[in-house]
Amino acid sequence: MATYQEFIQQNEDRDGVRFSWNVWPSSRLEATRMVVPLSCLFTPMKERPDLPPVQYEPVLCSRPTCKAVLNPLCQVDYRAKLWACNFCFQRNPFPPAYAGISEGNQPAELMPQFSTIEYIVQRGPQTPLIFLYVVDICLEEEDLQALKESLQMSLSLLPPNALVGLITFGRMVQVHELSCEGISKSYVFRGTKDLSAKQIQEMLGLTKPAAPIQQGRPAQPQDHSFSSRFLQPVHKIDMNLTDLLSELQRDPWPVPQGKRPLRSTGIALSIAVGLLEGTLPNTGARVMLFTGGPPTQGPGMVVGDELKTPIRSWHDIEKDNAKHLKKATKYYEALASRSAVNGHCIDIYACALDQTGLLEMKCCSNLTGGHIVMGDSFNTSLFKQTFQRVFSKDYNGEFRMAFGGELEVKTSRELKISGAIGPCVSLNAKGPCVSETELGLGGTSQWKICGINQFTTLGMYFEVVNQHNAPVPQGSRGAIQFITQYQHSSTQKRIRVTTVARNWADAQSQIQHIEAAFDQEAAAVLMARLGVFRAESEEGPDVLRWLDRQLIRLCQKFGQFHKDDPNSFRLSESFSLYPQFMFHLRRSPFLQVFNNSPDESSYYRHHFVRQDLTQSLIMIQPILYSYSFYGPPEPVLLDSSSILPDRILLMDTFFQLVIYHGETIAQWRKAGYQEMTEYENFKQLLQAPLDDAQEILQTRFPMPRYVDTEHGGSQARFLLSKVNPSQTHNNLYAWGQETGAPILTDDVSLQVFMDHLKKLAVSSAS
Amino acid sequence: MVPRNPCIRVWFPKILSFARQKNGRSSERTDYGITCSKWRPRKWKLSCDLAGSTMAESYVKPGNQEKGWNDPPQFSYGLQTQAQGVQKRNFLNKRVPPPQLDGSQVSLPSGAPLPAKPLSPTLPLAPPPSTVVLPARRLSAVDCTALSASTHTECEATIEDVMGLLDWALTACRTTVKRQVCDEVSKRLTLFQEMWISGKLSSPVKKRMYYLAEELKKQNWDSADETHRSLIVDYVNEVSQWMVGVKRLIAETRNLPTEVLNAEVEGPSPKEDTTQNTQ
């Protein structure tokens, strides 16, 4: 088993790919019986410190419908200087530059260790990165001050040649002209009137005839000044922009008692999108929206300005009582699509105690690969540090952000692509490898991801189309190629090509091979993504029922049992964690909306469908580590039985880090043993989880909330609500001995869940 | 006696204490040994390098609990960049399969004392075991907050030292850079000077500004730039008004032709590096 795990890890490290199945069932029929679809999690920008990019163009297959990239799986005839495409079997001559090719002299892309390779290509003009700040000024003084400081700080973190722009909004929207001349000018727009892209560009003087001074468009590649009056290089206007930011005042319009401030978020975003669309389409750009409350006027308004009408809740939405929901969502979706077409991504930094309308606005980030960060105030370390980390750099000192990604997928003949789930939009590219069955965003073999970082991960779903009666030859392999074109943060155009292959197996005679090659972690995340994707359009209970049905079917297929004998049920090691993942997924905020606002649900789902496998799995089933005097820290069951008096627990739910001190530990701490030299070891024990938590806090994006609590503490609820309630007030006394902590809940425990699962799986009726 | 590491400066108590632990640790074993020996030293070596080169501070401040619910602690720029450089290890990501599937009973976490010796909360509190020898762990950054604050010695550099160096750079810039830009920079340097004189700048800011100015003089552009970045990230409320002038000065001086810079060398020579020797 260890070998498969090593294989899986190796492949993830090298190619950023995790498949649900690592040996593929060779016919359509058998594949559907596997329950979990043939699918993978793909991280296009997976960090590869050991992968130097090559400085030439990739070699493409000459068949117009194929155009796959030359890769290590291709057969090469060194004497005739020909290569055969492994996807369409077309024989292609090598380009002249490859004349010297021989067995002993191979280009990198033919070497097996370069199954992932990155090309730097010379294509089009290199445009600087663009950062357009869209800043809400209806904030409290303290918040606005903190935000201004963070923005000023960010000017030091941006690449010096990046273009930067500033739009502020409250009741009115102001587009600030940035110049070095010391006189600040701005264009003021009413926040209630929707304007078309053309109108915005005309009013800002961005159309050619109206503004002859306006310089540079990508259409004129020789002209290297891409800036306009509203977007200027940081190194030129940093001083003026710093002053401009310091001088920003709160929205001067009076806010009467009982009213919300009028906030024209919709128009502000529309102007930002229109400005970039008009000046710099198809270049890497980030619109960064900082907002401290819901949009309250104009198109895209989420709630009225009367404080007595609260912002929509899940209850209102279920009752169809959310007046602005549909209209606002439609408005922001249209903006998001326009932005995606232009390759610009939109970040939302929403800091307020109440909801800010993320439910309606989420598509802006979800369709463009932008970030959503939700905090309580701009004056918190959660916001400040998360914002800093947007500009974090990799081992090479390069920014960890890429723009305008276009992912294309090619498959061998036995496979087709059903769809993708992640922060992307479809490019509607039909072709021979597109399946008719859609899973997620389907009907295409290409997707656009406007903003990508090293964690951005798509779930890709495939369909085996090989017919049952046309067996795949013994020992042959199926292949998939991912071609990602993007703008690197250094503004270079790059293409990363990943080509992977897996063995086919006959599901009837070799089922044990397929079973052993099951990646339960990947499968859990991929199924969860399908569930979350469904939850966006279907009712919660339907999604849970669908998930349950899939789990039961999987257990029926791969469990070992005697019919109608639940006690005989066993799952092999490669499936052992899967039911537990599903149990926790059912309870997770991705599928349960209870106790979460619509904004919170949107926020959690946003992060769930974009993170890599490790992070996603933490979100599904939080990690629990136990620290004690009895040995090194060890992983323990996410179960109430793990809550023991002489333990310290560290729980990571991705969004929260909780350190929980057991009862005895807490008493020792209170008694001050850690201060005494003879109990130095106790002090160290207290310190160990803090150190580990710190490691996580230092790198996680977004910054998680941090809870340090103890037995009986009110904050202990974060732990208690996540652990499996194996002991509750209902069954506590049946346990006889006191181990763990009872949870006061009527929720079903994992034990009960498993008993039902076994019963249903072995039942001859189903 | 703590062995002196030349790249360690005095206000890095954490790193010093780590060095102490590291040296004393070799004979100790044990349970925490895996975590300690495998990864901590590697990480901390990195922090030494980084801290030595940019004077970045390593500290952790508590978050703003008043404004943010369970606000996480705030890490200094030095700690953050150091964490970014390291590839994320997959640690603490193991899970245990539930016992139900292999038919066994719910297992207790290993190593637990069996209920025969319960640490019952109703009994008078027994002290924690004190015989178990655990290897010394590094002092955490959280602890260091207080420590580093207390060991911040007053900055010995004077405003004249710092301004002298900055003015030297500005004078050099005046030869080629637009006058308006130089005036803007000068305005901000004046503001910086005023804040220093009126005591509005904290000791670490002063120290790091002196270091920055020296690096500028030595034409270590990257180091000066990195120091400016660490200052604005860690002390934005103190420096946001004028730091951009320093930032611009670094950028403009860096672009100057070497002749101009060398011609200006007769400017005030940097004072002896006092920061190296303070203990």
Side-chain angles (χ1 to χ4, degrees), chain A residues 206-237:
Chain A
L206 295 173
T207 41
K208 282 256 151 161
I213 359 142
Q214 198 260 319
Q215 307 158 327
R217 303 184 65 132
Q220 310 163 314
Q222 300 87 347
D223 186 357
H224 284 287
S225 56
F226 290 95
S227 50
S228 69
R229 282 165 297 148
F230 307 104
L231 294 165
Q232 291 275 348
V234 179
H235 67 87
K236 278 202 190 146
I237 47 90

Short mmCIF file of all heavy atoms in Angstrom, two decimals, chain A residues 206-237:
data_model
loop_
_atom_site.label_atom_id
_atom_site.label_comp_id
_atom_site.label_asym_id
_atom_site.label_seq_id
_atom_site.Cartn_x
_atom_site.Cartn_y
_atom_site.Cartn_z
N LEU A 206 -11.56 58.14 -22.37
CA LEU A 206 -10.67 57.05 -22.75
C LEU A 206 -10.82 56.65 -24.21
O LEU A 206 -10.01 55.88 -24.71
CB LEU A 206 -10.92 55.82 -21.87
CG LEU A 206 -10.61 56.02 -20.40
CD1 LEU A 206 -11.05 54.81 -19.61
CD2 LEU A 206 -9.13 56.25 -20.21
N THR A 207 -11.88 57.16 -24.86
CA THR A 207 -12.04 56.82 -26.26
C THR A 207 -11.13 57.72 -27.07
O THR A 207 -10.89 58.87 -26.71
CB THR A 207 -13.49 56.98 -26.70
OG1 THR A 207 -13.99 58.16 -26.11
CG2 THR A 207 -14.33 55.80 -26.30
N LYS A 208 -10.64 57.19 -28.13
CA LYS A 208 -9.59 57.88 -28.91
C LYS A 208 -9.90 59.33 -29.26
O LYS A 208 -9.13 60.21 -28.91
CB LYS A 208 -9.29 57.07 -30.17
CG LYS A 208 -8.41 55.88 -29.86
CD LYS A 208 -7.00 56.15 -30.30
CE LYS A 208 -6.08 55.37 -29.42
NZ LYS A 208 -4.77 55.18 -29.97
N PRO A 209 -11.04 59.61 -29.94
CA PRO A 209 -11.23 60.99 -30.38
C PRO A 209 -11.37 61.97 -29.21
O PRO A 209 -10.87 63.08 -29.28
CB PRO A 209 -12.53 60.94 -31.20
CG PRO A 209 -13.10 59.59 -31.01
CD PRO A 209 -12.12 58.73 -30.34
N ALA A 210 -11.99 61.53 -28.15
CA ALA A 210 -12.22 62.42 -27.04
C ALA A 210 -10.94 62.77 -26.31
O ALA A 210 -10.81 63.84 -25.74
CB ALA A 210 -13.20 61.79 -26.06
N ALA A 211 -9.98 61.87 -26.34
CA ALA A 211 -8.77 62.13 -25.58
C ALA A 211 -7.54 61.76 -26.37
O ALA A 211 -7.03 60.66 -26.26
CB ALA A 211 -8.80 61.34 -24.27
N PRO A 212 -7.07 62.69 -27.16
CA PRO A 212 -5.87 62.38 -27.94
C PRO A 212 -4.63 62.15 -27.08
O PRO A 212 -3.71 61.50 -27.51
CB PRO A 212 -5.71 63.61 -28.83
CG PRO A 212 -6.54 64.69 -28.21
CD PRO A 212 -7.59 64.03 -27.41
N ILE A 213 -4.66 62.67 -25.86
CA ILE A 213 -3.50 62.49 -24.98
C ILE A 213 -3.38 61.04 -24.52
O ILE A 213 -2.31 60.59 -24.13
CB ILE A 213 -3.60 63.34 -23.68
CG1 ILE A 213 -4.89 64.16 -23.70
CG2 ILE A 213 -2.36 64.17 -23.44
CD1 ILE A 213 -5.55 64.28 -22.38
N GLN A 214 -4.52 60.38 -24.52
CA GLN A 214 -4.51 59.02 -23.97
C GLN A 214 -3.51 58.16 -24.72
O GLN A 214 -3.56 58.02 -25.93
CB GLN A 214 -5.91 58.43 -24.07
CG GLN A 214 -6.13 57.24 -23.17
CD GLN A 214 -6.03 55.94 -23.91
OE1 GLN A 214 -6.51 55.82 -25.02
NE2 GLN A 214 -5.39 54.97 -23.30
N GLN A 215 -2.62 57.57 -23.96
CA GLN A 215 -1.55 56.83 -24.63
C GLN A 215 -1.82 55.34 -24.61
O GLN A 215 -2.57 54.85 -23.79
CB GLN A 215 -0.24 57.06 -23.88
CG GLN A 215 0.08 58.50 -23.68
CD GLN A 215 1.04 58.66 -22.52
OE1 GLN A 215 1.01 57.90 -21.57
NE2 GLN A 215 1.89 59.65 -22.65
N GLY A 216 -1.11 54.70 -25.50
CA GLY A 216 -0.91 53.27 -25.46
C GLY A 216 -2.13 52.37 -25.33
O GLY A 216 -2.91 52.49 -24.40
N ARG A 217 -2.30 51.52 -26.25
CA ARG A 217 -3.25 50.42 -26.13
C ARG A 217 -2.48 49.20 -26.58
O ARG A 217 -1.52 49.32 -27.31
CB ARG A 217 -4.45 50.67 -27.05
CG ARG A 217 -5.14 51.98 -26.77
CD ARG A 217 -6.34 52.09 -27.64
NE ARG A 217 -7.31 51.07 -27.30
CZ ARG A 217 -8.59 51.35 -27.11
NH1 ARG A 217 -9.04 52.57 -27.23
NH2 ARG A 217 -9.44 50.40 -26.82
N PRO A 218 -2.89 48.06 -26.15
CA PRO A 218 -2.13 46.86 -26.52
C PRO A 218 -2.06 46.67 -28.03
O PRO A 218 -1.23 45.95 -28.53
CB PRO A 218 -2.91 45.73 -25.87
CG PRO A 218 -3.70 46.38 -24.80
CD PRO A 218 -3.96 47.77 -25.25
N ALA A 219 -2.95 47.35 -28.75
CA ALA A 219 -2.92 47.23 -30.20
C ALA A 219 -1.64 47.84 -30.78
O ALA A 219 -1.29 47.58 -31.91
CB ALA A 219 -4.13 47.92 -30.80
N GLN A 220 -0.98 48.69 -29.97
CA GLN A 220 0.25 49.30 -30.48
C GLN A 220 1.42 48.75 -29.68
O GLN A 220 1.85 49.35 -28.70
CB GLN A 220 0.19 50.82 -30.29
CG GLN A 220 -1.08 51.42 -30.82
CD GLN A 220 -1.30 52.81 -30.27
OE1 GLN A 220 -1.16 53.07 -29.09
NE2 GLN A 220 -1.67 53.71 -31.16
N PRO A 221 1.90 47.60 -30.08
CA PRO A 221 2.88 46.93 -29.26
C PRO A 221 4.18 47.71 -29.10
O PRO A 221 4.88 47.52 -28.12
CB PRO A 221 3.12 45.60 -29.97
CG PRO A 221 2.52 45.74 -31.32
CD PRO A 221 1.53 46.85 -31.27
N GLN A 222 4.49 48.60 -30.01
CA GLN A 222 5.76 49.31 -29.89
C GLN A 222 5.72 50.32 -28.75
O GLN A 222 6.72 50.63 -28.14
CB GLN A 222 6.09 50.09 -31.18
CG GLN A 222 6.22 49.22 -32.41
CD GLN A 222 4.86 48.99 -33.07
OE1 GLN A 222 3.80 49.27 -32.51
NE2 GLN A 222 4.88 48.46 -34.29
N ASP A 223 4.52 50.82 -28.51
CA ASP A 223 4.39 51.83 -27.48
C ASP A 223 4.39 51.17 -26.12
O ASP A 223 3.49 50.43 -25.78
CB ASP A 223 3.07 52.58 -27.72
CG ASP A 223 2.94 53.75 -26.77
OD1 ASP A 223 3.85 53.90 -25.93
OD2 ASP A 223 1.96 54.47 -26.88
N HIS A 224 5.40 51.45 -25.32
CA HIS A 224 5.49 50.74 -24.06
C HIS A 224 4.81 51.45 -22.91
O HIS A 224 4.83 50.99 -21.79
CB HIS A 224 6.95 50.44 -23.72
CG HIS A 224 7.46 49.30 -24.54
ND1 HIS A 224 7.08 48.01 -24.31
CD2 HIS A 224 8.28 49.28 -25.61
CE1 HIS A 224 7.67 47.22 -25.20
NE2 HIS A 224 8.39 47.98 -25.99
N SER A 225 4.24 52.61 -23.16
CA SER A 225 3.53 53.26 -22.06
C SER A 225 2.08 52.84 -22.10
O SER A 225 1.31 53.29 -22.93
CB SER A 225 3.66 54.77 -22.18
OG SER A 225 3.17 55.18 -23.44
N PHE A 226 1.75 51.94 -21.22
CA PHE A 226 0.39 51.43 -21.20
C PHE A 226 -0.49 52.24 -20.27
O PHE A 226 -1.64 51.96 -20.08
CB PHE A 226 0.41 49.97 -20.75
CG PHE A 226 1.02 49.07 -21.77
CD1 PHE A 226 2.35 48.73 -21.69
CD2 PHE A 226 0.26 48.61 -22.82
CE1 PHE A 226 2.92 47.92 -22.65
CE2 PHE A 226 0.83 47.78 -23.78
CZ PHE A 226 2.15 47.44 -23.68
N SER A 227 0.12 53.22 -19.68
CA SER A 227 -0.62 53.90 -18.63
C SER A 227 -1.60 54.90 -19.21
O SER A 227 -1.47 55.37 -20.33
CB SER A 227 0.37 54.63 -17.74
OG SER A 227 1.25 55.37 -18.54
N SER A 228 -2.60 55.20 -18.42
CA SER A 228 -3.48 56.29 -18.78
C SER A 228 -3.43 57.24 -17.59
O SER A 228 -2.67 57.04 -16.66
CB SER A 228 -4.89 55.77 -18.99
OG SER A 228 -5.42 55.36 -17.76
N ARG A 229 -4.26 58.24 -17.62
CA ARG A 229 -4.24 59.18 -16.50
C ARG A 229 -4.69 58.50 -15.21
O ARG A 229 -4.43 58.98 -14.13
CB ARG A 229 -5.16 60.36 -16.80
CG ARG A 229 -4.55 61.35 -17.75
CD ARG A 229 -5.61 62.26 -18.27
NE ARG A 229 -6.60 61.49 -19.04
CZ ARG A 229 -7.88 61.80 -19.12
NH1 ARG A 229 -8.35 62.82 -18.46
NH2 ARG A 229 -8.71 61.07 -19.85
N PHE A 230 -5.41 57.39 -15.35
CA PHE A 230 -5.97 56.75 -14.16
C PHE A 230 -5.13 55.57 -13.69
O PHE A 230 -5.32 55.07 -12.60
CB PHE A 230 -7.39 56.30 -14.44
CG PHE A 230 -8.24 57.41 -14.98
CD1 PHE A 230 -8.56 57.49 -16.32
CD2 PHE A 230 -8.68 58.41 -14.11
CE1 PHE A 230 -9.32 58.54 -16.80
CE2 PHE A 230 -9.44 59.46 -14.59
CZ PHE A 230 -9.76 59.54 -15.94
N LEU A 231 -4.25 55.13 -14.54
CA LEU A 231 -3.40 53.99 -14.18
C LEU A 231 -1.96 54.39 -14.45
O LEU A 231 -1.59 54.63 -15.60
CB LEU A 231 -3.77 52.77 -15.01
CG LEU A 231 -5.16 52.19 -14.77
CD1 LEU A 231 -5.56 51.24 -15.87
CD2 LEU A 231 -5.21 51.48 -13.43
N GLN A 232 -1.18 54.50 -13.41
CA GLN A 232 0.19 54.98 -13.56
C GLN A 232 1.15 54.01 -12.87
O GLN A 232 0.76 53.34 -11.90
CB GLN A 232 0.32 56.35 -12.89
CG GLN A 232 -0.42 57.46 -13.59
CD GLN A 232 0.40 58.09 -14.71
OE1 GLN A 232 1.60 57.84 -14.83
NE2 GLN A 232 -0.24 58.88 -15.54
N PRO A 233 2.38 53.96 -13.34
CA PRO A 233 3.35 53.07 -12.70
C PRO A 233 3.60 53.48 -11.24
O PRO A 233 3.73 54.67 -10.96
CB PRO A 233 4.62 53.26 -13.52
CG PRO A 233 4.20 53.95 -14.76
CD PRO A 233 2.94 54.67 -14.50
N VAL A 234 3.67 52.50 -10.38
CA VAL A 234 3.86 52.76 -8.95
C VAL A 234 5.09 53.62 -8.71
O VAL A 234 5.06 54.56 -7.92
CB VAL A 234 4.02 51.44 -8.18
CG1 VAL A 234 4.23 51.70 -6.71
CG2 VAL A 234 2.81 50.56 -8.38
N HIS A 235 6.18 53.32 -9.40
CA HIS A 235 7.41 54.04 -9.09
C HIS A 235 7.33 55.51 -9.45
O HIS A 235 8.13 56.31 -8.98
CB HIS A 235 8.61 53.35 -9.75
CG HIS A 235 8.60 53.42 -11.25
ND1 HIS A 235 9.13 54.47 -11.95
CD2 HIS A 235 8.11 52.57 -12.18
CE1 HIS A 235 8.97 54.25 -13.26
NE2 HIS A 235 8.35 53.11 -13.41
N LYS A 236 6.35 55.87 -10.29
CA LYS A 236 6.23 57.29 -10.64
C LYS A 236 5.33 58.05 -9.68
O LYS A 236 5.56 59.21 -9.40
CB LYS A 236 5.65 57.42 -12.06
CG LYS A 236 6.69 57.26 -13.13
CD LYS A 236 6.19 57.91 -14.41
CE LYS A 236 7.08 57.58 -15.58
NZ LYS A 236 6.30 57.46 -16.82
N ILE A 237 4.25 57.39 -9.27
CA ILE A 237 3.27 58.18 -8.53
C ILE A 237 3.13 57.73 -7.07
O ILE A 237 2.18 58.08 -6.40
CB ILE A 237 1.89 58.16 -9.22
CG1 ILE A 237 1.48 56.73 -9.62
CG2 ILE A 237 1.85 59.02 -10.44
CD1 ILE A 237 0.75 56.02 -8.60
#
